[in-house]
Amino acid sequence: MMNVVTNSCICNILMTIWAAVTGAWEDSGVGHGVRALGRGISSTVRGSGLCQFLWREGTLPKSWPQSITNRVMTFLLNVPCAICRWIYRAGRKLWDGSLVFRGVAAICGNPFLLLGLFLAVMLMVPHASWDNRYALVGALALTALFAVGSGPKTSLRLEPGAFGPYYIFFMGFICYAFLASLSWSQSVRFVGFHLAAFLLAVLAVSSVKKYEQLQLVVVLAVAGLTVAALYGCYQGVVGVPVVANQQDMLVNKGMPGRVYSFFDNPNNFAELLAMMTPFNYALFLNAKTWRGKLAALVSFGVCGAALGFTLSRSSWLGFALATVVFIAFWNWKLIPVFIALGICCIPLLPETIYNRILTIGNTEDSSTSYRFAIYKASGVLMEDYWLRGVGLGSDILTKTFRGYPPMFDGNFPIHTHNNYLQVWAETGLFGALSFIAALLYQLKAGTKAFVSCGDKRVKNLLAAAVAGFCGILLISVAEYTWFYARNMFIYFFLFGVITACVKLARKTSQE
């Protein structure tokens, strides 16, 4: 297979073009200027007081591992593990003599495998067959199996403290938002969503002890998404009906229907692709065989094509940002080359995608103008609830909106169309601040771990995770990405992967 690829005229032409472009860039005056400017900026920034202040480990994160709050929370979460260890020790001879128990213990002793399989299945279940309660049941079941596996395998323990203080504070404000909700009955199901997301993030960190385990989790999740992407490509080829409320046909005249695969909405599908597709960059670089590299390329091609078929402009921008961030981690000097090649490739795009790109920022597009109407209505509501919030979940927010004047078309928003504004509206000012702090701390921790990590495989996976996370953070400015709960679960799984990479990076730096 490698001979075929090596001898391919197309591959040789592409490699020749790439070598010519990069060679010309390296030797060009602009290239020398950019590198000199970069070195100057880098040295200036590294030496600045602001950079040193931002880069240093804060007092709160530094003291967090030994804090009473962290110790109590870790102890409580690990009570099931402690019970399972006690039961195992009490009847060790009986358990070790049972073939059934040894089989169960072998499976439960590898929770990363169970987590990866669960994520793969979750991404392949059609929308009509999916119930968000499955995620909560699955997360609780995975946690219970984790506890069973910790009986004979005492190294297994849940590690919520690995996230640092801010995400835990945010979860505390989630509890507050439920207790202070204007309607408990309309908020209670969202407690289950956040609990499932939290457990999936904790399991992503706690299940992983070495790189190969984390890679398997990621590979299984990407495999599940690739299956969904294949179905999305099939929809794109055979065509799907045009849904009027998903694209303004006056501005998008002649465009085909937007694919959605196993999910309810094209934007939901596109957001998953934007978050997870960057992992293919790392899997390609880390693959030791040509089969692994080929699989990563195929997955990337399928997911990229499906992302195009969704016609989701915000996710295109998010994925573009994710790619730039990954390149910046890998070799920031290639960013100008990437941007130049991207601009040159625009005329080569399919006409529907090219025309869709031209509508970005067009206020005559009803979906764009409608967002501004939603933001205006949200601003009126926030005048009354900016401090305390209305309570947890989009249901109670929708109900609260109905107590205010409707939008220009007589309808009321069902959410704020912005993750950050939505969290603020639900949890209040301090909940929003803790959320922003958790995001910034996560990006900072990931960047610092990348710099200090000695394992290139972990660095590549960490770069991909941070890149995908940056992509979804940008998308979240124009979309409420948690409205579809499966996206929320993958969002926090990605959050957990970053923390798992940070843990592995610190381990390699200490060896």
Side-chain angles (χ1 to χ4, degrees), residues 393-416:
S394 56
D395 288 356
I396 183 59
L397 184 61
T398 301
K399 180 181 178 181
T400 308
F401 269 126
R402 294 185 175 277
Y404 291 81
M407 295 185 293
F408 66 90
D409 62 348
N411 293 320
F412 297 91
I414 56 176
H415 55 71
T416 63

Side-chain angles (χ1 to χ4, degrees), residues 122-135:
M122 183 177 73
L123 291 169
M124 292 188 293
V125 176
H127 174 74
S129 302
W130 175 256
D131 189 314
N132 290 321
R133 288 173 292 188
Y134 296 161

